[in-house]
């Protein structure tokens, strides 16, 4: 029997619509793929899935009715991991959840439920790191700008934190790897595609774009960091465990004088 490959638009709603399609047509031998990563396969019947909000909501409400609050969030976190084949782990987990009479999102004896929990935990850890390691720089337009390069697509998960913590200033957080950002204008925080100047150096505070106050602040911050960093008590192994080196190039306190 020929297998079926459902190709969705890369959004969470699109994935939920693919799941809806699986149930609507009672598909058994099926694979779900993101359109940005799909490759033609022999002996596979490809079908493009149209994203429809109503269908996505029906699936999501069905999942929420059969899971705990943590369980539904774990599925969303898993989607944001962007790991190859994650859609099919999620489909398998969703099928199990929806077929169970009781909440089964914590039944870790099921392989896909366990994988969802493990992946979601990694994404959650990255979310917390981004909340801790974001360093804003004041631009000449008086917008606080920060750039991040997370392993997972956690930008949607950190909006609430920064909107609450920095409610009185305009800010922009830009994901370098995925080329989009969140902009907060003192009222709303919106996800948007942003075109930065050609040759923009994310690890450098360029005087063409950033204010004089920003350079003064960074100098104060670096001086403070040095004064509190006691050489005799330095434990680099512990330090790099809490602040992995891959984040250092975007931290003010780690920049050279």
């Amino acid at each position: 029997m020929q297998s079926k490959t459902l190709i969705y638009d890369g959004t969470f709603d699109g994935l939920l619509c693919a799941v809806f399609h699986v149930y609507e047509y009672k598909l058994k031998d099926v694979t779900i793929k993101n359109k940005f990563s799909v490759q033609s396969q022999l002996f596979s019947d490809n079908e493009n899935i149209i994203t429809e909000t109503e269908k996505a909501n029906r699936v999501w409400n069905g999942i929420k009715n059969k899971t705990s609050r943590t369980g539904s969030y774990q599925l969303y976190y898993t989607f944001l991991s962007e790991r190859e084949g994650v859609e099919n782990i999620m489909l398998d987990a969703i099928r199990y959840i929806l077929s169970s009479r009781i909440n089964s999102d914590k039944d870790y004896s099921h392989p896909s439920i366990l994988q969802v929990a493990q992946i979601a935990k990694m994404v959650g850890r990255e979310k917390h790191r981004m909340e801790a390691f974001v360093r804003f720089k004041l631009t000449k337009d008086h917008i606080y700008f920060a750039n991040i390069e997370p392993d997972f697509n956690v930008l949607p998960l950190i909006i609430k934190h920064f909107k609450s913590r920095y409610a009185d200033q305009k800010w922009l957080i830009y994901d370098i790897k995925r080329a989009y950002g969140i902009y907060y204008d003192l009222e709303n925080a919106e996800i948007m595609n942003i075109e930065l100047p050609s040759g923009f150096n994310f690890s450098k505070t360029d005087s063409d774009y950033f204010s004089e106050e920003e350079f003064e602040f960074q100098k104060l911050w670096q001086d403070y960091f040095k004064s509190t960093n006691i050489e005799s008590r330095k434990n680099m192994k512990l330090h790099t465990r809490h602040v992995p080196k891959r984040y250092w190039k975007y931290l003010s306190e780690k920049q050279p004088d």
Side-chain angles (χ1 to χ4, degrees), residues 19 27 48 62 78 94 103 120 123 140 154 156 164 186 225 231 235:
V19 174
L27 302 178
N48 291 308
T78 300
I94 290 168
N103 285 5
V123 174
K140 289 184 173 180
V154 297
S164 172
L186 300 180
F225 184 75
E231 281 293 326
N235 184 335

Side-chain angles (χ1 to χ4, degrees), residues 138-171:
L138 183 61
T139 69
K140 289 184 173 180
D141 296 328
H142 297 285
I143 296 171
Y144 285 89
F145 174 84
N147 45 259
I148 61 175
E149 201 171 0
D151 291 341
F152 309 117
N153 184 21
V154 297
L155 211 50
L157 303 179
I158 65 176
I159 293 175
K160 184 178 179 181
H161 171 83
F162 286 100
K163 188 177 178 181
S164 172
R165 188 169 181 183
Y166 301 101
D168 61 345
Q169 57 198 36
K170 294 181 181 180
W171 49 260

